[in-house]
Amino acid sequence: MILALSAAISPEMRGQTAPSGTATSSAVNAHFAAAQQAQSRQDYATAEREYQAVIAAAPAFAEVHMNLGLIYQLQNRVPEAMAELRRALKIKPTLAGANFFLGVDYCKMGEGARAIPYLKAAARAEPNRTDIWSWLATAQELSGEIQAEVVTLKRALELEPQNVDLLYLLGHAYERLGKKEVKALEKAAPGSSRAEQLLAESYAASNEWPSAVIHFQNALAASQNRPGLHVELGEVFLRAGRVTQATQEFEAELLLDPSSLRAIVRRGEAKLIQADVDGALQDWARAIAMDKSRAEEILGIRETGFGDSAFEQLSDAARENIESLAPDLRTRDVPAARFALAFLAAQTGDSSREAAEAAKASP
C-alpha cells in the first residue's frame, strides 16, 4: 500500500521541507505549515486545500506538487496523483520522492518498462534505500529483464544482507533465469545431453524423482561418458530410496573418474544406509583425506546456504536405519567414524553434536 510506503521513505522523499527561494512569503509559509499539520493528522481534504493554496502562490515549488500527489495517493486518486508527480518532475527532474512514487504507480499498473526510468532516477538520488531497489527489481521483473533484476537485488542485499524478502526474491529470480536458459538450450539443441541434464536437475530440485530419472537417463543415452551424470542420477535414486541402483550409478561414475569426491562420498552414504559400516568408513576415510570440508558440504554437515544440504535429508526409514548404527560407530576411534556420527547428527538436527563430531573428524 502507498500509505505503508510513505511511512517507510525519508522526509526528503516526502518533500517535508519548508518553502524557500520562490516561496518565502508569510502567507505561503502559513499554508504550507497548515498542510503539513493536516497531513500528519490524516485530514487529507484540508491538506489538499492548503497545498493548492501554496501552489497558487508558488507554482514552481516542486516539493509541494509532490506532496499534493502523495495526498491524492493516500485517497486512491491515482490519476490525479500521477499528474501532480509529473508536474513536480517537470520542475525538478531529480526529485527522488516523485520519481519513486511515479515508478511505484506504474508497477501497480503492470507497466514495468515505464516504471524503470523513474525508479532508476530515484535510486541515483537516494542509493542507500532498499525500498527503491526492491521496486526497481519489481519493475524489471514485470518487463522481463531478469538479469537486470538479479543485479538490482544484489545491490539491495549489499545494503541489507539478511533481508529475508530480498533473499527470497533473488532466489526466485535465479529460478526464472534458469528456466529461461533451459528453454534457450532446448531451442538451440533439443534433446541434447545438456538440455536433458538441465531438465533432470530442475525436476530433482522439485523432488519429482521419476521425471528426474527419465531425463538423466536420456542425458546419459546422448552422452554416456560425460563425467557427473552418473553421480547426479545416483543421488536421485538415493533420495527416492532406490539404494542399490544409486550404488550402481556411483560405481559407474568412479569408472569414468576414479577421483570423483562426490561419487566417493555418496557411495559411502549408500553403504551406510545398507548397514555396510566398514565399506562406508573406507569411502569416507578416503574422502576426508581428499577434501574434508567439501565432503561435509556434499553430505549437508557443513551448511553452505544454497549448497547441497537442502537436497540431503534422508527418508524417515533410511534415517532410522542409520541411527541404529550409532553405537557401533562410537566404538571406532577413527576420523571416518566421527565423520559418520556428524552425518547422523546432521540428519537428526542435533547441531551441537554435529559440530563437535565434525571438528573431531580431521585425520
Side-chain angles (χ1 to χ4, degrees):
M1 292 178 61
I2 293 297
L3 180 58
L5 288 169
S6 68
I9 63 173
S10 65
E12 290 79 6
M13 286 180 65
R14 291 199 298 267
Q16 305 293 316
T17 55
S20 60
T22 59
T24 57
S25 74
S26 59
V28 168
N29 282 325
H31 284 301
F32 186 86
Q36 296 280 279
Q37 292 169 7
Q39 184 174 345
S40 66
R41 64 175 183 268
Q42 299 183 14
D43 180 359
Y44 300 135
T46 299
E48 177 184 347
R49 184 172 62 252
E50 295 295 338
Y51 280 135
Q52 286 174 338
V54 175
I55 290 171
F61 189 5
E63 286 81 359
V64 176
H65 285 284
M66 182 179 71
N67 279 9
L68 180 57
L70 176 57
I71 293 299
Y72 290 144
Q73 294 272 25
L74 295 171
Q75 298 176 85
N76 201 30
R77 295 159 61 182
V78 177
E80 294 168 274
M82 295 178 75
E84 284 301 327
L85 294 171
R86 291 192 194 95
R87 291 187 186 104
L89 291 173
K90 187 174 182 180
I91 299 165
K92 190 174 181 179
T94 60
L95 193 58
N99 278 302
F100 175 70
F101 282 117
L102 201 51
V104 169
D105 283 335
Y106 278 122
C107 282
K108 292 187 172 186
M109 294 165 62
E111 298 185 40
R114 296 186 71 178
I116 288 172
Y118 295 106
L119 292 167
K120 283 185 174 180
R124 283 193 296 271
E126 295 222 1
N128 294 324
R129 300 206 59 86
T130 54
D131 52 352
I132 298 176
W133 293 106
S134 180
W135 276 102
L136 176 56
T138 298
Q140 290 163 334
E141 178 184 0
L142 288 170
S143 59
E145 298 181 17
I146 305 175
Q147 291 178 324
E149 179 191 356
V150 168
V151 172
T152 297
L153 289 168
K154 285 183 175 180
R155 176 66 180 83
L157 282 164
E158 289 176 5
L159 300 172
E160 294 186 26
Q162 304 303 318
N163 187 306
V164 175
D165 292 332
L166 291 174
L167 288 168
Y168 169 80
L169 291 172
L170 181 60
H172 187 53
Y174 275 129
E175 181 183 7
R176 285 183 286 108
L177 187 60
K179 289 179 179 178
K180 181 179 178 181
E181 296 302 326
V182 168
K183 289 180 180 178
L185 181 57
E186 288 177 323
K187 185 176 180 180
S192 70
S193 179
R194 288 293 188 187
E196 290 292 333
Q197 181 183 6
L198 278 172
L199 284 170
E201 289 170 347
S202 177
Y203 283 118
S206 302
N207 295 342
E208 297 182 37
W209 311 127
S211 296
V213 167
I214 290 170
H215 287 288
F216 272 128
Q217 289 174 334
N218 289 344
L220 280 165
S223 183
Q224 295 181 359
N225 297 322
R226 186 151 60 80
L229 287 176
H230 283 288
V231 72
E232 286 196 74
L233 176 56
E235 287 175 330
V236 170
F237 280 136
L238 199 59
R239 298 286 79 76
R242 296 159 67 176
V243 183
T244 299
Q245 289 167 288
T247 301
Q248 291 170 352
E249 294 301 328
F250 300 142
E251 296 282 3
E253 184 71 30
L254 288 167
L255 287 175
L256 293 174
D257 180 7
S259 62
S260 170
L261 178 65
R262 192 168 174 180
I264 294 167
V265 170
R266 291 302 190 190
R267 185 176 66 178
E269 180 182 356
K271 288 178 178 178
L272 192 69
I273 293 171
Q274 293 175 313
D276 179 4
V277 176
D278 291 333
L281 296 187
Q282 183 178 358
D283 276 337
W284 282 352
R286 183 181 171 194
I288 292 170
M290 292 171 65
D291 189 337
K292 175 175 175 283
S293 294
R294 179 57 188 149
E296 290 174 343
E297 290 173 3
I298 291 169
L299 285 178
I301 298 172
R302 179 187 294 269
E303 182 58 61
T304 59
F306 294 102
D308 299 304
S309 58
F311 187 71
E312 189 40 47
Q313 284 300 309
L314 296 175
S315 67
D316 291 340
R319 191 158 51 249
E320 289 175 5
N321 286 341
I322 63 174
E323 284 175 7
S324 68
L325 304 174
D328 180 13
L329 290 168
R330 292 193 184 100
T331 67
R332 302 180 185 229
D333 188 21
V334 293
R338 291 189 286 272
F339 184 85
L341 288 168
F343 173 60
L344 296 184
Q347 287 294 316
T348 58
D350 189 345
S351 58
S352 59
R353 173 174 287 183
E354 171 191 336
E357 297 293 354
K360 293 188 293 183
S362 298

